[in-house]
Amino acid sequence: MTQKTRITLAKGDGIGPEIMDATLRILEAAGAEIEFDEINIGEKVYLNGNTSGISNDAWDIIRRNKVFLKAPITTPQGGGYKSLNVTTRKFLGLYANIRPCFSLNPYIETKHPLMDLVIIRENEEDLYAGIEHQQTDEVVQCLKLISRPGCEKIIRYAFEYAKQQGRKKVTCMSKDNIMKQTDGLFHDVFKEIAAEYPEIQNEHWIIDIGSAKIADTPEDFDVIVTLNLYGDIISDIAAQITGSVGLAGSANIGEECAMFEAIHGSAPTIAGQNIANPSGLIQGAIQMLAHIGQPKVGEKIQNAWLKTLEDGIHTGDIYKEGLSTQKVGTKEFADALIARLGQVPSQLKAVEFAETGSLVLPKYQRKPAKKKDLLGVDLFVHWADEDANKIGAIMESISLDSVKLRMITNRGIKVYPDGFPETFLTDHWLCRFKKTEGESMSNTEIIELLKKAIAAGIDVIKTENLYAFDGKPAFSLGQGQ
Ligand code: NAD
């Protein structure tokens, strides 16, 4: 008898329990060799006073089983509740989020009949680190953290995925024309890794026009790799234009653990009515079957799913008069799929899943440290007077002999010296001090500067050191410089 794989299961909130019940019935009917440990996470746990939405016992089960099938959950608004999805991805190191989006023309109405792309989204970094601070009365900040290991892992994953799945092209999307350090690192690493895969085409799009292009001609894309926030947005766009956001599933893959889910949320307004489309979670479960070495069970479900849709048996979100034959609820969709297990679609292309197993990537090798020189420091200041020349004069007065004020910016625009009177000024100022050209600054000089600023009555809200790595300055310049 085949050893069953133990999987952690969470039925989630909103439409979660309905789509999970439908998915579980399908998995059982298809003969998946799986046993489940069910955990409670989400809204009820949050509202019982646990702000992370998950108990320690539930974590233990997830970590023991290593594979997690999760229905969507609701994060209550306000009250300091943390998104459990983001927390789970980060705690378990699930760095790669794989979101296939393909159209099923002509059976599901779409303006994009030829689309078949996979979005590979970095899953742990970017603005989702959730490090936010209010610094002045008028300004809040969110830190965007991008690491070289994070970039290397996700980009290598995208190329290995393309190789394994016989896909031809990997497209990188970033905004490095503006964010030269963070998105610039992602793009640079993409160029380095792409060179290791000459058999796979590569290209880069700036995310704004790239998203427009996905919405217009998605058939031009194959595998897309991108940063966390952009990936979140473009995968909803891509899923929606195949016909419904309810159609796409997603795998979250780490070195140890993996989590599988639908890409959509808990859709509370349609919960409990047996109208939700269970396809997204079914697609997530099929990805899970491939991951745990049961691709043939996944293939059987996928072909029955295609046949059901081809037969026009559609939930309300994709139902179209004249195209669909029957409007069904969540349960009835699952029944129709189960009745077709063992069949293949007659018009749509039947799938054949190879026994490829999950991708195993080499461990990240830390690079030798670069030569790091401290060139200066940015003092961020809370100052409510709108006269840039006044703050300029004060900051000039605290300069040290060899560490001088070079400029002041307000929301990234240079306003001192020689600012424009038209520039709108907030109460948040960046005052850049730099050492004489060619010399390195010391940390004690930063402390001296801070002491002088405090003595002059300046409210310094944070400092940021300005470094050069291997002689290359690695910080942004103020616009207007
Ligand atoms: P949503 O994805 O739940 O819903 C967006 C729209 O799509 C709604 O009109 C909804 O009715 C429809 N929809 C979604 N899934 C559907 C399905 N399977 N069948 C038919 N229609 C479907 O997004 P939202 O409304 O922004 O978020 C609702 C809640 O879900 C929020 O609390 C949010 O935090 C949470 N959420 C959870 C996850 C997750 O658990 N992975 C992801 C996103 C949002």
Side-chain angles (χ1 to χ4, degrees):
M1 209 179 86
T2 326
Q3 173 92 38
K4 290 193 172 183
T5 305
R6 273 200 101 72
I7 302 237
T8 309
L9 171 97
K11 292 194 174 177
D13 301 313
I15 59 171
E18 301 159 62
I19 59 173
M20 183 59 91
D21 287 343
T23 305
L24 293 180
R25 283 203 292 125
I26 293 165
L27 284 170
E28 193 184 355
E33 298 288 346
I34 294 175
E35 287 171 327
F36 292 104
D37 287 322
E38 187 174 343
I39 56 167
N40 278 322
I41 55 169
E43 205 169 15
K44 283 197 204 82
V45 183
Y46 283 120
L47 297 177
N48 270 340
N50 183 331
T51 53
S52 59
I54 181 167
S55 67
N56 288 341
D57 292 349
W59 273 127
D60 289 345
I61 296 170
I62 293 174
R63 290 169 65 206
R64 188 180 66 223
N65 291 338
K66 300 196 185 311
V67 180
F68 183 18
L69 181 62
K70 182 184 133 306
I73 56 157
T74 304
T75 311
Q77 295 294 306
Y81 300 111
K82 295 185 203 87
S83 161
L84 182 51
N85 298 311
V86 176
T87 313
T88 310
R89 290 169 192 155
K90 282 165 45 175
F91 265 138
L92 299 181
L94 308 180
Y95 66 92
N97 186 200
I98 296 101
R99 299 183 157 197
C101 298
F102 48 90
S103 47
L104 297 171
N105 182 66
Y107 302 100
I108 295 179
E109 192 179 44
T110 167
K111 296 186 185 103
H112 305 287
L114 302 176
M115 119 175 230
D116 177 11
L117 58 83
V118 181
I119 292 166
I120 298 196
R121 161 188 173 195
E122 198 291 314
N123 221 10
E124 296 179 280
E125 306 194 333
D126 199 346
L127 294 164
Y128 288 69
I131 306 172
E132 294 192 302
H133 302 94
Q134 176 160 4
Q135 297 183 318
T136 68
D137 289 315
E138 294 174 348
V139 174
V140 286
Q141 75 160 17
C142 179
L143 273 188
K144 172 160 172 159
L145 295 178
I146 303 295
S147 72
R148 175 166 268 274
C151 296
E152 281 197 26
K153 276 159 68 179
I154 194 68
I155 293 167
R156 192 171 295 289
Y157 190 96
F159 278 95
E160 285 295 325
Y161 178 91
K163 201 162 123 184
Q164 185 198 54
Q165 301 293 320
R167 288 186 174 259
K168 305 275 179 290
K169 182 169 75 171
V170 179
T171 303
C172 172
M173 292 203 186
S174 72
K175 185 86 184 166
D176 54 315
N177 53 331
I178 302 295
M179 283 160 277
K180 297 190 167 70
Q181 296 296 323
T182 48
D183 287 30
L185 175 63
F186 194 82
H187 192 177
D188 284 350
V189 172
F190 178 78
K191 284 186 250 179
E192 284 169 25
I193 292 183
E196 294 177 31
Y197 297 85
E199 70 282 15
I200 297 171
Q201 286 175 52
N202 69 81
E203 63 175 9
H204 174 266
W205 284 84
I206 302 275
I207 185 66
D208 40 8
I209 188 63
S211 312
K213 183 98 177 120
I214 292 173
D216 186 48
T217 41
E219 63 276 12
D220 288 353
F221 295 102
D222 196 347
V223 173
I224 298 172
V225 65
T226 190
L227 296 132
N228 203 343
L229 177 62
Y230 311 143
D232 196 359
I233 297 168
I234 62 173
S235 55
D236 270 22
I237 297 174
Q240 185 67 37
I241 64 174
T242 64
S244 166
V245 73
L247 288 170
S250 126
N252 298 271
I253 306 286
E255 282 167 12
E256 294 280 323
C257 300
M259 174 171 81
F260 300 87
E261 56 185 345
I263 77 155
H264 58 75
S266 56
T269 54
I270 59 166
Q273 299 166 45
N274 189 41
I275 54 177
N277 189 343
S279 296
L281 192 58
I282 296 170
Q283 290 299 304
I286 291 169
Q287 285 178 281
M288 177 187 79
L289 288 166
H291 180 83
I292 62 173
Q294 300 184 33
K296 289 295 159 195
V297 184
E299 178 183 301
K300 191 171 170 186
I301 299 175
Q302 183 75 351
N303 282 325
W305 179 72
L306 292 170
K307 177 82 175 121
T308 309
L309 294 171
E310 184 186 272
D311 287 346
I313 299 172
H314 294 166
T315 43
D317 55 321
I318 52 171
Y319 182 85
K320 182 88 189 158
E321 204 74 51
L323 203 62
S324 312
T325 53
Q326 208 183 333
K327 189 175 194 170
V328 291
T330 315
K331 281 196 193 106
E332 295 71 28
F333 183 85
D335 292 340
L337 192 158
I338 289 167
R340 286 164 179 76
L341 285 169
Q343 298 181 33
V344 293
S346 24
Q347 300 301 321
L348 289 167
K349 195 166 178 294
V351 296
E352 261 183 67
F353 293 158
E355 306 265 357
T356 45
S358 48
L359 284 171
V360 181
L361 266 60
K363 282 241 181 265
Y364 176 75
Q365 299 291 323
R366 181 159 283 164
K367 310 282 179 288
K370 290 183 176 166
K371 183 173 170 297
K372 184 177 171 191
D373 292 310
L374 182 62
L375 305 184
V377 65
D378 285 340
L379 302 192
F380 288 80
V381 166
H382 181 176
W383 168 268
D385 187 327
E386 285 177 32
D387 187 340
N389 290 325
K390 252 197 218 169
I391 188 174
I394 298 175
M395 298 316 277
E396 295 274 12
S397 77
I398 69 160
S399 289
L400 309 179
D401 286 345
S402 60
V403 180
K404 301 272 185 245
L405 179 73
R406 300 303 168 96
M407 65 162 180
I408 299 179
T409 64
N410 194 300
R411 292 188 304 167
I413 302 291
K414 193 181 88 169
V415 293
Y416 178 88
D418 310 323
F420 284 8
E422 292 86 351
T423 306
F424 182 80
L425 298 172
T426 67
D427 60 0
H428 185 274
W429 309 76
L430 175 160
C431 306
R432 175 158 295 174
F433 289 86
K434 281 175 84 184
K435 188 84 175 174
T436 315
E437 206 63 44
E439 287 181 39
S440 281
M441 193 170 162
S442 71
N443 282 317
T444 46
E445 285 173 308
I446 296 178
I447 295 167
E448 262 181 77
L449 264 181
L450 279 171
K451 280 186 182 161
K452 288 183 82 175
I454 292 162
I458 294 293
D459 180 7
V460 179
I461 46 169
K462 77 161 188 170
T463 63
E464 201 71 59
N465 294 358
L466 305 176
Y467 290 111
F469 284 85
D470 281 352
K472 194 172 156 206
F475 45 87
S476 56
L477 303 171
Q479 278 160 11
Q481 264 222 118

